[in-house]
């Protein structure tokens, strides 16, 4: 073969180089593999995935530009300003979209973590000793919060996905139905005792866990994701690691979904999802953030193998969630209720009926160890008034619950009081309203309610119409105080229904069950 001219060699090398690189160039053009930046609105809890994002960009060519904001359902967030959303939970957001008639975006769960309780060691030991079989429930936590044993930190459910999931979990357990919360389950707030233990809060659980080491004397428990508590324990910032409790009555499970907000970015979104769900990324997420993998090929780390048990369902209507959050209120404001119990001590209450009443008060003071009893009990800081009546007001006693001594004092009023031959229902209720309105004037903003229990008909004192005239004369303070009536024995059900409806309360019939059950039913409704 004849040798090529010397000057032809550079041209040949260039041709070979072009032939070698052409397939790669053609592939890049065909796949549109240019680097892409996606704007992501993310729950603050997800800031711990940041170290992995450089690897994601290197492997996929997709950069995630993260903005962390505590917004439970993306309310007030400009959806068009972001390509993706990465949330602790998208449940509230999807319910809001449904209510607004908007299209549900594609959503892919990336990892999982249940909302659980972290308890200081001594507190954990105490709760386990008192819990059946040592299995601590949300009811046990609520009971311990009510008596002052547990002082917990929890993110603000008005803005935090985690705080909202925790609140839904506790409220679902309090409802005791075993199903997702329904409208009737949140018409009465059963979480007042639980809320009395809420002493530390923040806009997000990430901020909450960052603040907690400096507040270990203020709170002996944290309610947050299992992953966040494991990370906090591993940080070395605590005097003693928190014992992680998976409540026996169920937990809400967060799945940290990645949502596609801008359909034009579907290709890049799919690359990110595929990378995050890959075995290597799932192991890295598990190791770095202590969240449970969704990839079934990845074996969970030993600390993530605890059974989550009953995964509680999220409500299927946003209005239910919003009512629950509104009733819970601002966790930075502690506002204990006052309840005025107007109790019939006519002679017809002697014997078994009075025993039933005394058992009811003992149960509300902590003797009732059922789940409903633990949620309904009197709680620390609550102000309680007992008005005993017969043909007239026989006695009035008020205590603010600071401990067992106050509850014993109240029980003595019920247990040791004498009787009277007549029954002045409306005179007694009028007296109860004067006590209630005085309390409302003394501390504006404190919720006040009346519970009226009688086993007979009014046979002395003022009549119903005179009571209503006097009630109207007390003004707005009285109008804001509902009366919950308890029908017992031979009481006039129609009259009690009428009084409850006129004052914004409702009547409960104790005859089919007991006074204990009737009082527990009322407890969450004031």
């Amino acid at each position: 073969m004849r040798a090529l001219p010397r000057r032809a060699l550079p041209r040949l090398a260039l041709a070979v180089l072009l032939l070698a690189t052409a397939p790669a160039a053609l592939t890049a053009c065909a796949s549109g593999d240019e680097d892409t930046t996606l704007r992501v609105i993310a729950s603050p809890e997800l800031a711990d995935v940041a170290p992995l994002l450089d690897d994601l960009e290197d492997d996929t060519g997709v950069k995630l530009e993260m903005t962390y904001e505590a917004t439970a359902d993306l309310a007030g967030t400009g959806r068009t300003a972001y390509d993706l959303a990465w949330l602790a939970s998208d449940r509230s957001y999807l319910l809001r979209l449904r209510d607004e008639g908007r299209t549900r975006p594609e959503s892919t769960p990336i990892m999982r973590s249940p909302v659980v309780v972290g308890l200081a060691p001594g507190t954990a030991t105490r709760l386990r000793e008192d819990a059946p079989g040592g299995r601590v429930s949300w009811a046990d936590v609520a009971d311990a919060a009510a008596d002052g044993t547990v002082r917990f930190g929890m993110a603000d459910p008005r803005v935090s996905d985690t705080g909202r999931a925790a609140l839904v979990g506790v409220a679902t357990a309090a409802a005791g139905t075993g199903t997702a919360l329904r409208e009737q389950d949140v018409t009465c707030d059963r979480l007042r005792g639980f809320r009395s233990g809420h002493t530390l809060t923040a806009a997000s659980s990430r901020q909450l866990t960052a603040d907690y080491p400096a507040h270990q004397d203020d709170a002996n428990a944290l309610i947050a994701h299992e992953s966040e508590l494991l990370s906090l324990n591993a940080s070395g910032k605590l005097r003693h690691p928190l014992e992680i409790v998976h409540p026996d009555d169920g937990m809400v499970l967060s799945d940290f979904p990645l949502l596609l907000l801008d359909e034009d970015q579907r290709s890049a979104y799919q690359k990110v999802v595929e990378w995050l769900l890959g075995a290597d990324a799932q192991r890295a997420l598990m190791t770095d953030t202590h969240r449970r993998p969704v990839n079934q090929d990845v074996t969970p780390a030993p600390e993530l193998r605890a059974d989550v048990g009953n995964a509680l369902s999220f409500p299927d209507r946003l209005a239910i969630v919003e009512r629950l959050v509104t009733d819970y209120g601002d966790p930075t404001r502690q506002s204990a209720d006052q309840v005025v119990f107007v109790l019939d001590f006519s002679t017809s209450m002697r014997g078994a009926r009075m025993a039933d009443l005394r058992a009811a008060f003992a149960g509300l003071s902590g003797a009732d160890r059922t789940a409903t009893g633990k949620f309904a009990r009197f709680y620390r800081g609550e102000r309680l008034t007992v008005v005993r009546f017969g043909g007239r007001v026989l006695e009035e006693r008020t205590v603010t619950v600071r401990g067992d001594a106050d509850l014993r004092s109240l029980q003595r009023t019920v247990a040791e009081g004498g009787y009277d031959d007549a029954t002045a229902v409306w005179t007694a209720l009028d007296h109860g309203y004067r006590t209630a309105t005085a309390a409302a004037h003394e501390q504006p903003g404190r919720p006040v309610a009346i519970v009226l229990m009688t086993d007979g008909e009014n046979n002395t004192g003022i009549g119903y119409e005179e009571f209503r005239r006097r009630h109207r004369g007390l003004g707005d303070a009285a109008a804001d105080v509902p009366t919950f009536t308890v029908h017992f024995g031979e009481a006039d059900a129609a009259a009690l229904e009428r009084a409850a409806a006129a004052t914004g309360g409702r009547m409960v019939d104790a005859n089919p069950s007991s006074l204990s059950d009737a009082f527990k039913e009322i407890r969450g409704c004031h």
Side-chain angles (χ1 to χ4, degrees), residues 33-328:
D33 226 8
E34 300 93 353
D35 288 350
T36 302
T37 297
L38 299 180
R39 300 157 300 167
V40 185
I41 176 73
S43 297
E45 290 86 342
L46 285 158
D48 58 5
V49 306
L52 296 177
L53 299 185
D54 287 342
D55 290 340
L56 184 152
E57 183 179 359
D58 290 342
D59 292 345
T60 66
V62 181
K63 178 179 180 180
L64 299 187
E65 188 177 273
M66 308 287 279
T67 298
Y68 300 103
E69 185 175 341
T71 171
D73 61 1
L74 297 187
T77 301
R79 179 179 175 182
T80 56
Y82 300 98
D83 304 305
L84 310 180
W86 198 353
L87 309 176
S89 170
D90 61 4
R91 296 181 180 99
S92 289
Y93 176 56
L94 296 182
L95 290 175
R96 184 163 69 83
L97 289 184
R98 189 185 68 182
D99 285 356
E100 295 173 356
R102 294 163 62 186
T103 303
R104 174 180 176 142
E106 183 172 346
S107 176
T108 306
I110 302 300
M111 47 198 170
R112 295 191 176 96
S113 193
V115 176
V116 299
V117 186
L119 296 171
T123 307
T125 298
R126 181 169 174 179
L127 263 65
R128 289 193 188 282
E129 287 175 348
D130 292 340
R135 299 186 304 272
V136 177
S137 66
W138 286 118
D140 295 321
V141 175
D143 182 54
D147 73 11
T149 300
V150 164
R151 304 176 309 282
F152 65 87
M154 186 178 85
D156 188 340
R158 297 174 301 170
V159 294
S160 165
D161 292 315
T162 308
R164 186 164 293 192
L167 185 58
V168 166
V170 179
T172 303
T177 63
T179 61
L181 288 170
R182 306 160 299 173
E183 190 73 40
Q184 58 265 40
D185 297 326
V186 294
T187 54
C188 295
D189 176 13
R190 296 176 175 86
L191 304 185
R192 283 177 167 82
F194 169 79
R195 190 188 188 284
S196 68
H198 194 168
T199 58
L200 184 65
T201 195
S204 71
S205 56
R206 181 175 179 80
Q207 185 61 51
L208 179 74
T209 53
D211 292 344
Y212 180 70
H215 295 275
Q216 295 178 68
D217 293 329
D218 303 321
N220 54 17
L222 279 183
I223 300 174
H225 285 111
E226 172 191 65
S227 57
E228 295 167 306
L229 298 178
L230 287 169
S231 295
L232 181 60
N233 282 346
S235 71
K237 296 178 180 179
L238 302 181
R239 291 195 290 262
H240 303 284
L242 296 173
E243 182 173 331
I244 296 177
V245 171
H246 298 79
D248 194 50
D249 38 6
M251 290 153 278
V252 171
L253 191 65
S254 295
D255 57 10
F256 299 89
L258 188 65
L259 288 75
L260 175 62
L261 302 183
D262 184 355
E263 281 288 334
D264 292 340
Q265 300 294 348
R266 175 171 294 279
S267 176
Y269 168 80
Q270 290 173 337
K271 291 178 188 176
V272 172
V273 166
E274 183 179 355
W275 189 90
L276 289 171
L277 296 183
D280 289 342
Q282 289 276 291
R283 289 190 190 94
L285 287 167
M286 179 177 64
T287 301
D288 293 356
T289 75
H290 301 285
R291 297 188 180 100
R292 299 175 181 230
V294 296
N295 185 329
Q296 297 298 310
D297 294 330
V298 176
T299 302
E303 70 272 16
L304 300 176
R305 294 174 189 170
D307 186 7
V308 298
N310 178 27
L312 298 175
S313 300
F314 207 78
D316 62 0
R317 291 181 52 209
L318 184 60
I320 295 174
V321 180
E322 290 178 335
R323 171 67 183 271
L324 180 64
V325 171
T326 298
D327 284 347
Y328 194 79

Side-chain angles (χ1 to χ4, degrees), residues 2 133 146 148 216 254 278 302 331 348 378 410 422 437-438 466 497:
R2 190 178 64 174
Q216 295 178 68
S254 295
S348 59
F378 297 136
L410 206 64
T437 52
E466 176 61 15
E497 283 267 23

